[in-house]
Amino acid sequence: MTVKFTKDHEWIRVEGDEATVGVSDYAQQQLGDVVFVELPDVGRTLEKGKEAAVVESVKAASEVFAPVSGEVIAVNPELEADPSLVNGGAESAGWFFKLRLTNPSELDGLMDEAAYKEFVEGQH
Amino acid sequence: MRYLPLTEADRRSMLSAIQASPIKAATVDDLFRDVPKAARRPGPIEGLTNHMGELEVERALGSMAARNLPAGSCPSFLGAGAYRHHVPATVDHLVQRGEFLTAYTPYQPEVSQGTLQVLFEFQTQVALLTGMDVANASMYDGATSCAEAVMMANRVTRRKKAVLSGGLHPHYRDVTTTDARFIGFEADARPTDPMGSEDLAALVDEQTSCVVVQNPSVFGHVRDYTALAQACQARGALLIVVVTEAMSLGLLTPPGAMGADIVAAEGQSLGNTLNFGGPYVGLFAVKEKYVRQMPGRLCGQTVDADGRRGFVLTLSTREQHIRREKATSNICTNSGLCALAFSIHLSLLGEEGFTGLARLNHAKAGQLADRLAGVKGVEIVNDSFFNEFTVRLPKPAAGVVEELAQRRILGGVPVSRLYPGEMEDLLLVAATETNTDSDMDAFAKALSEVLS
Amino acid sequence: MSMNNQGRPTGIGSADSAVPDTITGNRGLQIEEPLIFEQDSAGRCGVDLPEVPAMRMRLGTVKPRAAVGLPGLAEPQVVRHYTRLSQKNYAIDSGLYPLGSCTMKHNPRLNEKMARLPGFSDVHPLQPESTVQGALELMDTLAHWLKTLTGMAAVTLAPAAGAHGEMCGIMAIRSAHEARGDTGRTKILVPESAHGTNPATAAACGYTVESIPATPDGRVDLEALKAKLGPDVAGLMLTNPNTCGLFEREILEIAEAVHGAGGYFYCDGANFNAIVGRVRPADLGIDVMHINLHKTFSTPHGGGGPGSGPVVFAESLAPYLPVPFVVKEKGDFRLVEEAGEGPAFGRMKAFHGQMGMFVRALAYMMSHGADGLWQVASDAVLNANYVMARLQDVMTPSFDGPCMHECLFDDRFLKGTGVTTLDIAKALIDEGFHPMTMYFPLVVHGALLIEPTETESKASLDQFVTALRALAERAKSGDVEYFQGAPRLTPRRRLDETGAARKPILRWTPPAEQAQAAE
């Protein structure tokens, strides 16, 4: 099991040919109180780097991009009713959707946790 | 100059403060130093008058106003999307309270609870009248509401073809087709339907995002759109019902009860005067499930730091100031004060007053139809109407209306004014609570003279 | 002597002055007011109508509606309701309202009086033209003023507000390109500092939006702009003075570069108040600009409209206006209402535009005249620079002056204090001022954008400056709690926007339904 991060602040946890995607804890801090999450339809095919979901706080609306390509096999059923899960556990209970990967080699271009941490610190 | 409080002494002392600061400017001209020299005018712009006192302005504008024939000064039967109703004195008194009139959009809710509570009440009133779940805080007018409704239906259905009824007001149609051309969707404007006989259900297919009908139609026909709503639903399209005469909502089954997904209406009839066409107030109401695709401002209920009920603008991530190029609409300023007037008028009326007034309008129109049907050569086109109907004349209506105007009677809107070169014998005639028996007598008499 | 003694004490008493919790929740003149729906009594009515005569219903197959639950109130209750609500609003009539880019200036009551003349307010838009010559003359006169003040060739009065005017301008630009067969232009350039409506408008009209960076002095980066210009660019949308309150010094070079690449120069005229009567936009190379009558020309904002957004056009774009417009033929005014007559691109709204706003704006223009408008821009700019000068040392101006009609600060002066821009704004409310525009423009951190306008007196500015200086000092002294608790003296304190957005309640519902929904 590996966790990787993108420069757009998504995380992806890979288990076999399936992966779970969400936004990073840093991203949720930047957004503030999350009030709404729009998730993709199950069955939709996502392309790496293209819009997959929307996350809104009171003052910001952000697109969540697919970290890698794949087919949506599940979305977090709790998020719609309780978007605050993203604030409470961005990298755990606040996950967005699960993918079946179509091109696992795309993972190679993503950052590991240490690299992402460094990247975020460089943002200030 | 009565609007400028600074004295010459003030200006001098302020400039010396500025001169002593890092800004360093000794004169006002120097404050304009970033403007390219060639563009700085040496003095006031030529070709315009200089300042005037109140009295002089009143004289100048008063003489322009005097060259118009106010609808209230003579028998008047004009409608076609703008209606003359009586506005209670209370309405105009209250909207002129400076705290409403001269406030900005309520961005600071702690000091805007007045405007915000009004918007919350307005949204509720509009939802009740239209039979819908949720309404927004207003749009510019009915026509822009209609175009925004179509664009919203395109977003909801992810389709790009709207079917526009031939009974839709041609200005509403044109605003929508103008948007269609520039924004990039298809607007299938159906042939003009003066008899109210079109059937749009067969046109709804898997590409159709929405069907737009108007009730009553621009020709005054009243229709039940329940079957059309079902046909739309069966094919995944939305039904948009346009209402240009809000007074009709006091008598007719509301669009929501017929199955409308979006209602786009003109609210001028309540609380707002004719104003030669504006400002008016667009009403916009939807089913709950579409709220996040809605354009325009929304006010919502919440609590403050002490736990007391209060109101804020909400769901603003749909809007341009956050979403920027991904906003649901670019609308910003809307029709706040006209919405306030609408809301006050409706509060005065209440259920009993509003339904009573709507019935009175219908009764007046019935009387007028009977009266005009007795004029030789005049044929009433409609078998159903609310307070406006179409009549067929033996001569071109535009000339008839002009002759009536010379007799100080505003005798309706020639259909050819809205559809140039078409249906020149048709005339739209409206009656409201403001029309008296003697108005109708005068109209019928003059019409029969003009036609003979 | 005679003793006409009322028996009442006339001193001030010696009671403790703390604000008590009251039984009603009311606080003197601040009176709690329920919703109209909570004051309903069935059958009560605030109007008296004549009896409805017996009639035959002519509704075809449509049934008369059932009751929908509008509340019944009598007239005195309605008057009280709205009067109490109004008292919970801050307004330009109450005090300084320095919202940057919003131009909250005094709204003269003469304007209101003129707009209510029956010859303007009680005229139907589709009356025969022979009966509305004065209304058309008014539109024509307003058009003359707007064209003369901007130096432009043509104007449309149709758009209902500024953002609507932007749509109109961008539609005209696209029409002009299309008329030349130039269909390869797919981009509109917009500076980073632009108001959100600009990119929203360009995107709505089918263009992709490209952002132009700013230079360290808060202006458009001319070299970056030139690098983006090309045969795929339809035009540039630029606010000038820009949203940092600065005049674009290189505006002529910007215009030349845009024109050189075959594009049009759209100016967002939201900030026209800074230059009205002193600088004509046509002399700056602008091709098209909207004007917010509810900003520069004093028509009231009304708590969010109605606005009015006429658009002026240079000769190059003059043929591409929407309908309707007024023409003068043989001494008579006539309305051109159909797009068929010439290359007009279509229609923006029903009827002829915001006539009620036209009357108000013209009343204002005539009152000031050309000489008065010169002074308007002068005093607006002087007031903003005075505020900037007086706050330089305690707050952090984002850019060197002079500014135009508004001055921009960022939150560097709050660094390390734990106090935010929002906190400063809320504390200002307790001091009796409306806050400035906050967190806009986005190009500086924690923006505070102050636009005093020309209708503020020096005394009013001095009081504002004194309050703001004291608040800045207080923030630096570390009194975070004071700020985070503000405002304390308002009808409501800070409101829970997160809760409002997470579980939207957008209308009143009867208590029975509420109870049902909760089950």
Side-chain angles (χ1 to χ4, degrees):
Chain A
M1 187 183 86
T2 48
V3 181
K4 298 247 181 169
F5 292 84
T6 68
K7 287 185 174 172
D8 299 312
H9 310 290
E10 293 94 10
W11 57 264
I12 178 164
R13 191 172 62 232
V14 187
E15 288 158 285
D17 68 340
E18 290 183 12
T20 309
V21 177
V23 299
S24 71
D25 193 57
Y26 171 79
Q28 72 79 17
Q29 283 175 31
Q30 293 297 305
L31 282 167
D33 292 346
V34 172
V35 297
F36 179 67
V37 178
E38 188 183 308
L39 297 169
D41 294 334
V42 173
R44 200 175 128 200
T45 305
L46 302 178
E47 203 182 316
K48 176 182 160 75
K50 292 282 157 64
E51 183 180 326
V54 175
V55 55
E56 296 183 1
S57 64
V58 172
K59 293 182 166 41
S62 306
E63 285 78 36
V64 176
F65 303 108
V68 294
S69 307
E71 185 195 336
V72 180
I73 51 173
V75 297
N76 187 343
E78 317 278 315
L79 270 196
E80 202 156 299
D82 186 6
S84 68
L85 287 173
V86 178
N87 296 115
E91 298 178 21
S92 53
W95 63 277
F96 278 46
F97 54 86
K98 290 182 197 281
L99 284 178
R100 179 168 298 118
L101 307 187
T102 47
N103 185 2
S105 69
E106 287 171 348
L107 290 165
D108 298 344
L110 304 181
M111 291 175 275
D112 63 16
E113 191 160 1
Y116 177 68
K117 205 171 160 214
E118 205 173 307
F119 169 72
V120 165
E121 273 160 17
Q123 300 262 296
H124 292 282
Chain B
M1 180 60 233
R2 62 189 182 275
Y3 304 148
L4 300 177
L6 295 186
T7 64
E8 274 310 319
D10 289 335
R11 292 182 183 113
R12 277 195 302 275
S13 111
M14 291 163 77
L15 277 167
S16 55
I18 293 167
Q19 174 69 352
S21 81
I23 300 170
K24 294 242 178 302
T27 62
V28 170
D29 285 347
D30 202 12
L31 293 172
F32 282 80
R33 64 190 177 225
D34 288 338
V35 179
K37 242 198 182 108
R40 283 184 237 160
R41 308 295 296 178
I45 288 171
E46 305 84 18
L48 301 169
T49 50
N50 278 337
H51 67 276
M52 289 183 191
E54 277 209 14
L55 189 57
E56 293 164 278
V57 176
E58 284 190 32
R59 277 195 197 114
L61 292 178
S63 79
M64 286 188 209
R67 295 183 62 205
N68 303 317
L69 179 63
S73 68
C74 62
S76 167
F77 301 91
L78 282 78
Y83 299 87
R84 184 167 193 278
H85 292 286
H86 177 253
V87 180
T90 301
V91 175
D92 199 42
H93 165 75
L94 289 171
V95 300
Q96 286 198 75
R97 285 194 64 95
E99 302 93 326
F100 286 131
L101 184 75
T102 75
Y104 199 71
T105 301
Y107 288 136
Q108 298 292 330
E110 299 89 344
V111 285
S112 310
Q113 285 298 302
T115 294
L116 286 161
Q117 185 168 333
V118 165
L119 292 179
F120 187 77
E121 293 174 347
F122 170 80
Q123 289 172 190
T124 307
Q125 288 172 320
V126 173
L128 289 172
L129 288 192
T130 54
M132 305 299 284
D133 300 322
V134 192
N136 75 8
S138 84
M139 307 297 283
Y140 304 134
D141 70 354
T144 52
S145 263
C146 171
E148 290 274 7
V150 170
M151 289 184 270
M152 177 181 149
N154 293 345
R155 287 193 297 274
V156 167
T157 60
R158 299 182 194 207
R159 300 176 184 176
K160 285 192 157 188
K161 190 180 89 183
V163 176
L164 311 182
S165 157
L168 180 65
H169 193 294
H171 288 178
Y172 290 49
R173 179 200 65 199
D174 291 350
V175 172
T176 308
T177 54
T178 299
D179 277 347
R181 198 173 117 221
F182 288 98
I183 291 163
F185 59 91
E186 189 187 336
D188 176 12
R190 304 306 301 164
T192 312
D193 183 32
M195 310 307 289
S197 54
E198 71 183 1
D199 182 8
L200 300 176
L203 298 170
V204 188
D205 60 24
E206 267 62 42
Q207 277 74 53
T208 309
S209 69
C210 60
V211 176
V212 184
V213 294
Q214 180 178 322
N215 206 25
S217 79
V218 69
F219 298 98
H221 305 287
V222 174
R223 293 284 178 266
D224 186 343
Y225 287 107
T226 309
L228 182 60
Q230 286 160 355
C232 286
Q233 200 182 7
R235 292 176 188 82
L238 305 192
L239 177 67
I240 297 170
V241 175
V242 166
V243 179
T244 61
E245 169 51 304
M247 193 62 71
S248 69
L249 296 168
L251 183 60
L252 305 182
T253 300
M258 292 182 184
D261 295 285
I262 308 175
V263 177
E266 173 53 66
Q268 172 268 329
S269 285
L270 283 158
N272 289 278
T273 53
L274 290 168
N275 277 329
F276 199 49
Y280 290 171
V281 49
L283 313 181
F284 197 101
V286 302
K287 287 182 176 165
E288 176 111 51
K289 58 182 167 182
Y290 304 133
V291 163
R292 285 179 190 271
Q293 294 295 340
M294 217 178 183
R297 297 236 151 88
L298 281 168
C299 171
Q301 182 182 314
T302 187
V303 291
D304 80 347
D306 294 331
R308 294 174 298 178
R309 177 171 71 183
F311 302 92
V312 290
L313 292 179
T314 191
L315 303 187
S316 42
T317 43
R318 300 162 299 111
E319 294 182 61
Q320 44 73 27
H321 62 280
I322 293 173
R323 266 287 166 96
R324 297 175 79 85
E325 67 265 29
K326 294 197 167 163
T328 53
S329 161
N330 81 340
I331 190 169
C332 187
T333 292
N334 46 55
S335 276
L337 204 70
C338 302
L340 173 66
F342 175 101
S343 197
I344 297 170
H345 193 182
L346 203 52
S347 297
L348 285 165
L349 287 166
E351 187 74 30
E352 186 178 299
F354 188 49
T355 50
L357 190 53
R359 291 173 69 86
L360 187 59
N361 272 259
H362 190 49
K364 292 280 185 186
Q367 288 172 351
L368 181 64
D370 292 345
R371 202 102 29 134
L372 296 184
V375 176
K376 193 163 172 262
V378 174
E379 179 203 337
I380 309 293
V381 170
N382 300 53
D383 53 12
S384 68
F385 55 83
F386 168 64
N387 69 352
E388 184 169 23
F389 52 86
T390 307
V391 298
R392 192 182 302 281
L393 302 178
K395 302 200 213 182
V400 172
V401 163
E402 195 60 58
E403 280 191 60
L404 289 169
Q406 282 160 24
R407 295 159 193 249
R408 291 182 66 86
I409 290 174
L410 294 171
V413 178
V415 168
S416 60
R417 174 89 187 253
L418 299 171
Y419 300 89
E422 289 181 57
M423 299 169 283
E424 293 185 338
D425 57 342
L426 297 184
L427 177 69
L428 298 178
V429 183
T432 72
E433 75 283 0
T434 62
N435 295 117
T436 61
D437 283 351
S438 62
D439 284 352
M440 296 190 206
D441 288 340
F443 184 21
K445 182 165 171 283
L447 185 60
S448 98
E449 286 166 12
V450 169
L451 292 180
S452 66
Chain C
M1 85 189 214
S2 66
M3 297 281 282
N4 292 325
N5 195 336
Q6 278 187 324
R8 63 186 174 92
T10 52
I12 55 169
S14 59
D16 127 44
S17 61
V19 178
D21 279 338
T22 57
I23 298 151
T24 52
N26 300 338
R27 296 177 191 188
L29 289 176
Q30 264 310 325
I31 300 176
E32 291 293 301
E33 180 63 10
L35 296 168
I36 45 170
F37 305 96
E38 294 159 345
Q39 304 182 45
D40 174 33
S41 196
R44 195 161 50 194
C45 188
V47 295
D48 291 309
L49 295 173
E51 205 161 310
V52 180
M55 64 171 149
R56 172 167 68 87
M57 292 283 231
R58 306 188 210 202
L59 302 179
T61 56
V62 174
K63 304 239 171 336
R65 96 204 215 299
V68 299
L70 295 172
L73 289 83
E75 183 181 298
Q77 295 173 293
V78 171
V79 170
R80 206 167 268 174
H81 178 71
Y82 290 98
T83 302
R84 287 174 174 180
L85 289 187
S86 76
Q87 288 166 340
K88 299 176 196 306
N89 269 3
Y90 194 91
I92 187 70
D93 278 3
S94 345
L96 181 67
Y97 212 128
L99 269 180
S101 277
C102 298
T103 313
M104 291 298 283
K105 62 168 71 176
H106 170 62
N107 299 153
R109 289 312 191 276
L110 173 63
N111 302 357
E112 298 303 309
K113 184 178 178 186
M114 293 298 96
R116 283 168 173 79
L117 292 173
F120 296 131
S121 68
D122 194 22
V123 179
H124 191 284
L126 299 175
Q127 282 183 210
E129 283 164 345
S130 60
T131 67
V132 294
Q133 285 296 305
L136 299 178
E137 182 187 1
L138 184 129
M139 290 170 72
D140 190 65
T141 309
L142 178 69
H144 171 73
W145 277 80
L146 293 174
K147 285 189 288 187
T148 308
L149 287 170
T150 56
M152 299 294 234
V155 62
T156 173
L157 302 178
H164 208 215
E166 290 178 31
M167 290 286 282
C168 177
I170 296 299
M171 286 175 175
I173 287 175
R174 219 178 96 183
S175 302
H177 286 309
E178 283 174 2
R180 284 203 317 269
D182 188 349
T183 53
R185 297 184 182 266
T186 56
K187 288 183 194 162
I188 293 273
L189 307 181
V190 179
E192 313 182 299
S193 62
H195 192 260
T197 51
N198 293 172
T201 300
C205 291
Y207 286 108
T208 46
V209 177
E210 285 214 20
S211 193
I212 306 288
T215 56
D217 70 348
R219 276 119 174 143
V220 166
D221 184 331
L222 183 59
E223 291 314 310
L225 169 71
K226 282 181 178 165
K228 295 223 174 195
L229 283 170
D232 56 345
V233 172
L236 167 73
M237 286 183 96
L238 177 71
T239 309
N240 188 47
N242 68 25
T243 57
C244 301
L246 302 171
F247 198 91
E248 293 285 350
R249 280 187 214 111
E250 295 180 304
I251 190 145
L252 296 174
E253 292 79 2
I254 291 171
E256 197 185 324
V258 172
H259 293 150
Y264 290 102
F265 181 2
Y266 184 97
C267 181
D268 180 326
N271 293 340
F272 189 41
N273 201 52
I275 57 172
V276 62
R278 288 189 68 119
V279 178
R280 300 185 312 172
D283 298 333
L284 302 170
I286 290 160
D287 299 307
V288 46
M289 181 177 100
H290 80 260
I291 296 165
N292 304 76
L293 295 186
H294 49 295
K295 294 182 179 177
T296 309
F297 296 109
S298 84
T299 73
H301 277 81
S308 180
V311 182
V312 288
F313 298 88
E315 203 72 65
S316 56
L317 286 172
Y320 307 101
L321 271 62
V323 290
F325 42 87
V326 177
V327 292
K328 195 168 188 180
E329 283 169 4
K330 296 183 207 126
D332 283 337
F333 294 101
R334 191 169 74 81
L335 264 174
V336 176
E337 291 178 283
E338 293 302 322
E341 295 187 46
F345 69 68
R347 176 175 274 281
M348 301 290 299
K349 73 186 287 292
F351 309 121
H352 325 309
Q354 308 280 63
M355 178 68 173
M357 301 297 121
F358 304 160
V359 181
R360 290 171 174 88
L362 186 59
Y364 173 83
M365 289 177 186
M366 293 173 81
S367 293
H368 268 305
D371 55 339
L373 289 171
W374 168 280
Q375 197 61 50
V376 164
S378 309
D379 284 359
V381 171
L382 178 61
N383 276 355
N385 277 285
Y386 178 65
V387 169
M388 189 176 179
R390 295 274 326 266
L391 294 173
Q392 290 263 358
D393 53 327
V394 290
M395 288 169 60
T396 36
S398 300
F399 303 104
D400 291 338
C403 62
M404 297 302 286
H405 64 304
E406 56 193 357
C407 51
L408 177 63
F409 297 89
D410 52 46
D411 64 2
R412 281 172 296 157
F413 74 103
L414 295 171
K415 199 163 183 169
T417 62
V419 176
T420 64
T421 291
L422 182 76
D423 295 331
I424 294 284
K426 298 303 183 191
L428 263 180
I429 291 177
D430 273 342
E431 299 294 338
F433 298 103
H434 195 281
M436 61 290 278
T437 292
M438 296 177 290
Y439 300 102
F440 178 84
L442 307 173
V443 289
V444 302
H445 197 270
L448 303 98
L449 184 64
I450 302 172
E451 180 181 6
T453 84
E454 74 283 2
T455 59
E456 289 307 318
S457 67
K458 179 169 178 293
S460 158
L461 299 180
D462 284 338
Q463 195 192 32
F464 177 68
V465 163
T466 303
L468 207 41
R469 290 184 68 91
L471 289 175
E473 299 295 355
R474 190 165 198 162
K476 288 172 192 170
S477 77
D479 194 353
V480 180
E481 222 166 277
Y482 175 80
F483 285 95
Q484 289 178 348
R488 294 178 175 82
L489 305 173
T490 43
R492 286 292 178 271
R493 297 184 55 207
R494 288 195 203 190
L495 289 125
D496 180 7
E497 292 184 58
T498 302
R502 278 187 180 155
K503 297 254 179 282
I505 303 172
L506 304 174
R507 60 177 283 187
W508 174 82
T509 43
E513 278 179 39
Q514 279 171 8
Q516 257 177 6
E519 275 165 22

